[in-house]
Amino acid sequence: MSHNEELDPELTSDSCCENEGNQRKSHHPDKIKNNLVTRLNRIEGQVRGIKGLIEKDTYCDDVINQIAATQSALNSVARILLEGHMKSCVVERIQEGDFEVLDEVLVTIQKLMKK
């Protein structure tokens, strides 16, 4: 997913976060979960490929380009999760009067922006 590509609304809606005891959990519809798992499987393969490139003494620039592609793919997964989280969990918590969720989201966004 490129930086200019919009997220698929079907992949970011209808997810919700729940509290089970002291544990927070997410529930994602099967379509979203399957999409995320597929993306993560592809990323896992990319990481194994990078390892293989290093083991084969592949030219550094080529390895770095593969690392950048893998980071971009991980960022896409994070964007899908963040958008779904903001459209469901964050909205719900704000509607319930829990504005601390905003600080939580800001910290998360700051972590995502660090590179």
Side-chain angles (χ1 to χ4, degrees):
M1 180 183 294
S2 70
H3 293 291
N4 297 330
E5 191 174 342
E6 286 190 35
L7 298 176
D8 183 344
E10 289 186 30
L11 296 179
T12 58
S13 61
D14 297 330
S15 61
C16 63
C17 302
E18 309 166 348
N19 283 327
E20 289 183 10
N22 288 339
Q23 254 188 335
R24 293 184 296 179
K25 292 197 146 214
S26 292
H27 172 74
H28 303 285
D30 287 341
K31 182 175 182 175
I32 294 171
K33 191 181 293 188
N34 292 339
N35 178 276
L36 293 171
V37 168
T38 297
R39 287 171 183 263
L40 290 168
N41 286 337
R42 194 173 310 127
I43 291 165
E44 185 178 19
Q46 287 177 292
V47 171
R48 280 194 306 273
I50 292 167
K51 179 182 173 188
L53 292 175
I54 290 172
E55 290 171 343
K56 294 178 200 169
D57 295 321
T58 303
Y59 185 62
C60 294
D61 193 55
D62 295 337
V63 177
I64 291 167
N65 284 325
Q66 289 302 311
I67 291 170
T70 304
Q71 287 173 327
S72 177
L74 273 172
N75 287 339
S76 292
V77 170
R79 278 193 299 274
I80 290 169
L81 286 169
L82 180 61
E83 185 172 334
H85 181 60
M86 291 180 73
K87 287 182 175 180
S88 60
C89 308
V90 174
V91 169
E92 288 172 18
R93 286 177 60 186
I94 289 171
Q95 288 172 341
E96 293 168 0
D98 180 1
F99 294 96
E100 289 179 18
V101 70
L102 294 175
D103 291 330
E104 178 185 290
V105 170
L106 288 172
V107 168
T108 299
I109 291 170
Q110 288 171 352
K111 288 178 185 175
L112 285 173
M113 293 177 74
K114 287 183 183 177
K115 284 192 176 184

